[in-house]
Amino acid sequence: MIERAEADAAARRWIERYVKAWNSNDEADIRGLFSEDARYLTDPWIPAVEGADAIVASWLERRDEPGTFTFEGDVAGVDGHTFFYEAVTRYDSGTTYSNLWVVTLADDLERAESFTEWWMDQADKS
């Protein structure tokens, strides 16, 4: 059983590496985040991207250019190898998203086996 402090520290390390990959769009940085058979859901209503190769390709297809966004958040909770991360992403274009991520780390606590993100546009829709 993983201790809560160890799980929290692993979550924070993973997020740091994720943000690094987000800012670099480097294939090795992205690939290092995910197990070979990982599932990545960018939208709960579409099929998951499955496998590290497909995740890297998908990421690079929809990549954000470095320096065009800010990202801040914190671990909202941990449950074993799964952590929950609440954040805000602000793009230079003016779009701001609230984010909730659910990430399950592999046994090595370095790579994600599963990543699901929910995002909400904070724009006034009225």
Side-chain angles (χ1 to χ4, degrees):
M1 184 72 172
I2 186 171
E3 295 294 326
R4 185 172 195 79
E6 181 184 9
D8 185 78
R12 293 174 190 284
R13 284 192 310 272
W14 193 87
I15 290 293
E16 285 178 20
R17 291 176 37 242
Y18 186 98
V19 172
K20 178 182 183 251
W22 194 359
N23 279 292
S24 73
N25 291 314
D26 180 82
E27 184 175 328
D29 290 345
I30 301 163
R31 185 175 302 281
L33 292 168
F34 300 97
S35 64
E36 284 303 313
D37 60 348
R39 294 174 40 85
Y40 193 123
L41 286 113
T42 59
D43 183 319
W45 312 117
I46 63 172
V49 178
E50 297 192 35
D53 291 340
I55 291 169
V56 170
S58 174
W59 182 307
L60 294 174
E61 271 181 22
R62 58 182 184 81
R63 71 177 170 249
D64 293 319
E65 292 305 316
T68 62
F69 61 90
T70 60
F71 179 77
E72 59 186 326
D74 202 359
V75 174
V78 294
D79 182 17
H81 286 229
T82 300
F83 70 87
F84 310 90
Y85 196 80
E86 187 176 8
V88 174
T89 307
R90 290 181 178 83
Y91 287 94
D92 291 351
S93 65
T95 305
T96 300
Y97 294 102
S98 295
N99 306 223
L100 177 62
W101 295 355
V102 180
V103 181
T104 301
L105 297 176
D107 287 342
D108 65 7
L109 300 179
E110 295 297 320
R111 298 170 300 138
E113 293 179 339
S114 175
F115 177 104
T116 304
E117 64 178 325
W118 284 270
W119 46 269
M120 295 170 280
D121 189 339
Q122 291 185 6
D124 182 7
K125 302 287 185 187
S126 55

